[in-house]
Amino acid sequence: MYHLTALVTLLAIAFYFFTAVNVSRSRTKTGVKVPAMSGHPDFERAFRIQMNTLEWMPIFLPALWLFAVYISDAIAAGIGVVWIIGRIVYFVGYSKAAAKRGTGFAIQSLAAIALWVGALGAVTLRLV
């Protein structure tokens, strides 16, 4: 069973939902009306945080699950938690200024790459 990986998946989805709610709150606070995608820097940063999180989900989630299946549920979940922490650090930094998003981006990128490389290596080893 993959209970830990399932929990991390649900936490990642909850974080994504949080970023979507944050965009809605930012629209209200800054006066950026639907369907506009720009207008106030605070809104634009909130929107980019949500979109960047969405852009990484198709990289992160399959790699997370393949790593769990081929290597370890617990290790996949641990690296997945690091990914979520990276996204939170990204959220906090980018919410303040675009220049402050780098640390969180690096953390989540390295976690996603570790999951992908691990899964690729494990799958490849089983093919030979």
Side-chain angles (χ1 to χ4, degrees), residues 8 16 24 26 47 58-59 61 68 71 78 83 86 98 104 108 113-114:
V8 168
Y16 178 71
S24 179
S26 183
F47 181 71
I59 297 166
L61 289 173
I71 298 175
W83 185 85
Q108 67 92 41
I113 290 166

Side-chain angles (χ1 to χ4, degrees), residues 18-34:
F18 168 78
T19 66
V21 170
N22 188 59
V23 170
S24 179
R25 285 188 302 178
S26 183
R27 277 190 184 281
T28 301
K29 182 178 176 184
T30 61
V32 176
K33 304 290 182 204
V34 173

Side-chain angles (χ1 to χ4, degrees), residues 2-63:
Y2 303 98
H3 301 301
L4 296 173
T5 300
L7 179 60
V8 168
T9 299
L10 293 169
L11 291 172
I13 293 167
F15 177 75
Y16 178 71
F17 182 73
F18 168 78
T19 66
V21 170
N22 188 59
V23 170
S24 179
R25 285 188 302 178
S26 183
R27 277 190 184 281
T28 301
K29 182 178 176 184
T30 61
V32 176
K33 304 290 182 204
V34 173
M37 303 302 254
S38 63
H40 192 283
D42 290 346
F43 166 75
E44 291 175 11
R45 287 193 308 274
F47 181 71
R48 279 308 308 146
I49 291 166
Q50 181 199 13
M51 287 296 98
N52 188 263
T53 302
L54 179 61
E55 291 160 4
W56 275 91
M57 295 287 270
I59 297 166
F60 167 68
L61 289 173

